[in-house]
Amino acid sequence: MLLLWVTVIAASALAAPTPAAGGQRLGLSAAPNVVLVASDSFDGRLTFQPGSQVVKLPFIDFMKSHGTSFLNAYTNSPICCPSRAAMWSGLFTHLTESWNNFKGLDPNYTTWMDVMEEHGYWTQKFGKLDYTSGHHSVSNRVEAWTRDVEFLLKQEGRPMVNLIPSKDKVRVMEKDWKVVDKAVHWLRTEAVNYTRPFVLYLGLNLPHPYPSPSSGENFGSSTFHTSLYWLEKVSHDAIKIPKWLPLPEMHPVDYYSSYTKNCTGKFTEREIQKIRAFYYAMCAETDAMLGEIILALRQLGLLQKTVVIYTSDHGEMAMEHRQFYKMSMYEASAHVPLLMMGPGIRASVQVPNVVSLVDIYPTMLDIAGIPLPKNLSGFSLLPLSSKPFGNEHPTKNLHPPWVLSEFHGCDVNASTYMLRTDQWKYIAYADGASVPPQLFDLSSDPDELINIATKFPEIAHSLDQKLRSIVNYPKVSAAVHQYNKEQFIKWKQSLGQNYSNVIANLRWHEEWLREPRKYEKAIREWLKTPQFQ
């Protein structure tokens, strides 16, 4: 039945109009609808080989067959709010100054959706937004502010799994399914009747791990939760058990992250396999939610008139490099899915160019034929994905041959900057001097286990110079360092006499209470230390 449905859609899509490219203005009635589905924590490597063999993702496969897949798409910051701020603004993180999960865009910021609405599009958004603030806990905020303090404290619950032993339980993440139902209802009752094009945004929580109340009052999200129904979609034999460096050989920032994420203890291969299997099952449920939107568009006769885009704010480590969650520049965390299909979008095409989420803003406007602002960090993806006219634009020149990602939040004790080019990934930290950089050759070391920064200093230096030409990262690190201190002091002053009790009962309370004076002293010393020059 699915194959028949796929054939019907493929045939109907051939007659659809082509979106504008390069800001060529279409008449509004000829412009396509646009649907953007953005999930959370989806590893982009699952959308192509060999990762796509581990779990059944029929609707992502459908988009691959009938649209364009970007094989090297990256987040601009591997955490929810800063990533989404970049996606909605088209600007790099150091320009939005979205430093952590609760400092995002100004609520009045003009997003791509605002611009499309100004140009006549009907607009609607459902589900997770998180581009102005992630509304995370006080514990999460304090952990972000104090990441430069010289102490180690566990900030997360140990990663674990939780199974619903039912082959009939399909709607595990009920909150997301309710949001999907609302979006489908809107398509059926409103969008189908519009005489002007519409743009719909749907934000999902899955496959983000679930909250773990067992880890304390300010719990994190360390539970991978699914049902037998979804677990059966996973090919357990294809699950790869990641290699880990011994703890003493880990990069100092990686060790800090592994410790704060409660992953430095012992894990059996069986435990690791189960965590990864449950994560993949959660990805399968996410794919089904995407499918509900695609099916509704098809049933309403809208699919051939609509550009559908699927992406995620970041990935999920799922026990690679002795970590779970995100907050890392490793592929599992930073590599995101990005697929497009619809009128004028090339089918069964895989684009190898490096791209990132800041490219969403100009792409959305380009689809609508709206002239692009000149101050954007991103570039339209349409020239890479749409059907060319004649022999226009060789693809290698349509996007810079690099992407930038940066991170300034919790679970990592130094501002982090990634420059990704064709085969190289260069990662710089803090002021560029106090923490050693990392360099990986992804063509020969896709698992990123061999840091060759000291082996190939000329390549590392060249990439560092390129990175500095894009962002003055020592200056940005200093600004974040100062911001963290100022925010922590304001928070401390707002608590008055309650400060000692509150800070002693955050997520790290079990370790804090063993040596509270030691950690308080470390905070006092940190507040005295000047920022990087």
Side-chain angles (χ1 to χ4, degrees):
M1 185 67 183
L2 180 60
L3 289 177
L4 175 62
W5 176 77
V6 164
T7 304
V8 171
I9 294 179
S12 63
L14 293 177
T18 303
Q24 298 174 1
R25 188 73 177 100
L26 285 173
L28 190 62
S29 60
N33 307 311
V34 190
V35 172
L36 172 61
V37 178
S39 64
D40 198 311
S41 305
F42 201 107
D43 185 343
R45 299 171 302 172
L46 293 176
T47 62
F48 54 85
Q49 299 287 4
S52 57
Q53 297 173 328
V54 76
V55 59
K56 294 177 182 178
L57 303 171
F59 292 99
I60 284 176
D61 287 344
F62 177 79
M63 289 193 68
K64 286 163 57 179
S65 298
H66 299 280
T68 297
S69 308
F70 292 88
L71 300 181
N72 290 297
Y74 288 86
T75 182
N76 299 107
S77 187
I79 195 169
C80 300
C81 183
S83 172
R84 292 164 187 268
M87 181 172 67
W88 284 85
S89 69
L91 299 176
F92 290 136
T93 298
H94 64 274
L95 299 176
T96 65
E97 297 187 352
S98 177
W99 304 133
N100 48 50
N101 245 359
F102 48 90
K103 187 180 186 301
L105 300 177
D106 184 282
N108 296 318
Y109 190 92
T110 301
T111 68
W112 49 262
M113 183 173 277
D114 297 325
V115 176
M116 294 178 79
E117 185 172 17
E118 290 170 1
H119 282 77
Y121 266 75
W122 292 106
T123 64
Q124 184 58 272
K125 47 184 179 277
F126 294 100
K128 186 171 184 177
L129 291 172
D130 274 19
Y131 62 79
T132 58
S133 174
H135 305 292
H136 287 63
S137 69
V138 170
S139 186
N140 180 267
R141 299 183 185 199
V142 175
E143 291 155 8
W145 294 329
T146 58
R147 64 192 178 87
D148 298 319
V149 181
E150 291 293 327
F151 56 50
L152 271 176
L153 291 166
K154 290 185 174 68
Q155 299 173 7
E156 310 288 349
R158 181 181 166 98
M160 58 181 291
V161 298
N162 185 38
L163 179 66
I164 298 174
S166 170
K167 294 183 180 181
D168 299 319
K169 182 64 174 178
V170 176
R171 294 193 166 203
V172 178
M173 171 49 89
E174 294 183 1
K175 180 179 179 181
D176 273 356
W177 280 107
K178 289 178 181 178
V179 170
V180 171
D181 289 343
K182 288 181 180 179
V184 169
H185 179 75
W186 179 81
L187 287 170
R188 294 186 183 282
T189 59
E190 296 189 44
V192 70
N193 298 316
Y194 289 153
T195 56
R196 289 184 280 145
F198 64 82
V199 56
L200 167 66
Y201 168 83
L202 173 63
L204 303 174
N205 287 285
L206 274 185
H208 191 294
Y210 286 71
S212 304
S214 61
S215 61
E217 182 181 352
N218 294 291
F219 51 77
S221 297
S222 58
T223 299
F224 294 82
H225 177 58
T226 192
S227 69
L228 278 177
Y229 178 89
W230 295 113
L231 205 56
E232 288 185 342
K233 312 298 182 185
V234 178
S235 176
H236 292 260
D237 291 340
I239 296 174
K240 181 179 179 180
I241 304 299
K243 295 179 181 179
W244 289 352
L245 293 175
L247 285 169
E249 295 179 22
M250 293 179 73
H251 186 276
V253 173
D254 287 339
Y255 178 81
Y256 177 90
S257 296
S258 183
Y259 190 93
T260 58
K261 293 176 181 178
N262 211 348
C263 290
T264 50
K266 292 183 178 180
F267 289 85
T268 66
E269 283 199 2
R270 177 62 178 156
E271 284 180 284
I272 296 168
Q273 185 190 47
K274 287 184 71 174
I275 289 171
R276 291 173 70 78
F278 277 54
Y279 169 66
Y280 297 140
M282 291 159 67
C283 290
E285 187 176 0
T286 307
D287 177 83
M289 295 176 187
L290 170 66
E292 289 294 304
I293 301 301
I294 294 174
L295 285 168
L297 290 170
R298 164 61 186 143
Q299 292 165 358
L300 296 169
L302 295 173
L303 193 61
Q304 71 272 23
K305 307 172 187 177
T306 304
V307 173
V308 180
I309 303 173
Y310 170 65
T311 191
S312 182
D313 56 354
H314 49 73
E316 163 61 50
M317 297 293 283
M319 302 311 290
E320 294 189 26
H321 298 276
R322 197 184 280 269
Q323 296 182 45
F324 78 105
Y325 241 8
K326 53 273 188 175
M327 302 112 163
S328 169
M329 296 303 172
Y330 287 120
E331 288 292 283
S333 168
H335 200 141
V336 298
L338 184 53
L339 303 102
M340 298 174 61
M341 72 174 187
I345 303 300
R346 294 188 294 167
S348 299
V349 170
Q350 294 184 329
V351 175
N353 304 54
V354 289
V355 299
S356 65
L357 293 181
V358 288
D359 298 326
I360 295 291
Y361 191 116
T363 300
M364 299 296 276
L365 300 194
D366 210 9
I367 289 170
I370 300 171
L372 306 184
K374 297 185 182 301
N375 67 329
L376 297 179
S377 302
F379 293 79
S380 173
L381 300 175
L382 266 195
L384 293 171
S385 60
S386 62
K387 297 171 183 176
F389 298 95
N391 294 317
E392 294 178 21
H393 48 64
T395 58
K396 65 180 181 180
N397 296 322
L398 297 176
H399 192 287
W402 53 265
V403 292
L404 171 70
S405 188
E406 50 190 296
F407 182 73
H408 309 282
C410 59
D411 286 310
V412 177
N413 61 344
S415 287
T416 308
Y417 306 84
M418 179 192 78
L419 185 69
R420 171 77 163 90
T421 63
D422 49 359
Q423 74 185 93
W424 304 110
K425 178 185 285 188
Y426 178 71
I427 306 172
Y429 296 93
D431 57 353
S434 57
V435 181
Q438 292 172 291
L439 175 65
F440 299 103
D441 181 351
L442 296 184
S443 64
S444 61
D445 179 27
D447 294 330
E448 302 168 287
L449 294 172
I450 307 170
N451 179 11
I452 57 175
T454 56
K455 184 177 181 181
F456 296 102
E458 69 285 352
I459 296 175
H461 177 73
S462 175
L463 292 170
D464 188 74
Q465 291 302 110
K466 180 60 179 178
L467 176 60
R468 290 172 188 263
S469 73
I470 299 165
V471 53
N472 184 343
Y473 71 84
K475 183 177 180 180
V476 173
S477 297
V480 177
H481 191 83
Q482 186 63 28
Y483 160 84
N484 286 337
K485 288 183 179 182
E486 291 172 354
Q487 293 300 308
F488 180 84
I489 290 170
K490 287 181 180 179
W491 172 76
K492 180 179 180 180
Q493 292 174 341
S494 71
L495 294 175
Q497 294 182 346
N498 291 327
Y499 162 74
S500 295
N501 181 60
V502 173
I503 199 168
N505 287 282
L506 299 181
R507 285 191 294 187
W508 56 38
H509 65 276
E510 290 184 9
E511 291 178 292
W512 180 282
L513 293 176
R514 293 192 193 109
E515 299 180 277
R517 292 183 180 179
K518 170 185 172 181
Y519 299 123
E520 281 284 17
K521 180 181 178 182
I523 289 177
R524 289 195 298 270
E525 292 299 319
W526 164 64
L527 292 174
K528 296 176 184 177
T529 305
Q531 67 265 32
F532 305 122
Q533 299 300 318

